């Protein structure tokens, strides 16, 4: 989601995944995949930077999540391995 400013000064939050095109003619017009058009004060480059930022945040979140799952898996496997070693030692 990105926050942009409409021409009347009001703010609107747009789902970055729904942006199809951004045009400067000279006003900046965001066209969504639904066909809706939004005229905003931000430049095309500013919109592009906001979308890239959102994509980067999603990517970093995915990497952190995968790292978290990996660490939990290693901890679990280490724990299970220790239990198996202890059980084999008792037999």
């Amino acid at each position: 989601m990105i926050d942009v400013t409409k021409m009347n000064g009001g703010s609107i939050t747009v789902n970055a995944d729904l942006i199809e095109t951004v045009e400067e003619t000279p006003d900046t017009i965001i066209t969504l995949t639904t066909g809706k058009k939004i005229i905003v004060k931000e430049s095309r480059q500013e919109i592009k930077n906001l979308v890239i930022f959102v994509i980067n945040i999603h990517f970093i979140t995915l990497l952190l999540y995968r790292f978290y799952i990996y660490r939990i898996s290693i901890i679990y496997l280490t724990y299970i391995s220790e239990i198996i070693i202890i059980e084999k030692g008792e037999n």
Side-chain angles (χ1 to χ4, degrees):
M1 303 292 263
I2 61 171
D3 292 325
V4 292
T5 309
K6 293 169 76 173
M7 294 307 276
N8 65 6
S11 293
I12 185 170
T13 301
V14 178
N15 185 339
D17 294 331
L18 296 181
I19 295 176
E20 186 171 338
T21 61
V22 180
E23 305 171 62
E24 275 184 328
T25 60
D27 294 331
T28 306
I29 303 170
I30 299 173
T31 304
L32 304 179
T33 57
T34 61
K36 182 176 181 178
K37 294 181 183 279
I38 305 167
I39 301 173
V40 297
K41 290 185 177 181
E42 289 79 2
S43 69
R44 186 184 63 81
Q45 187 61 48
E46 288 175 300
I47 300 297
K48 184 177 174 181
N49 291 343
L50 288 169
V51 171
I52 289 170
F53 178 76
V54 167
I55 290 169
N56 287 339
I57 291 296
H58 287 170
F59 182 70
I60 289 168
T61 303
L62 176 64
L63 286 178
L64 289 174
Y65 176 75
R66 292 183 114 196
F67 176 74
Y68 173 76
I69 295 298
Y70 173 76
R71 291 287 295 149
I72 293 298
S73 298
I74 295 298
I75 291 169
Y76 177 74
L77 290 174
T78 303
Y79 174 73
I80 294 298
S81 297
E82 289 174 2
I83 290 175
I84 291 171
I85 290 169
I86 290 171
E87 286 178 357
K88 284 185 177 181
E90 291 177 355
N91 289 335

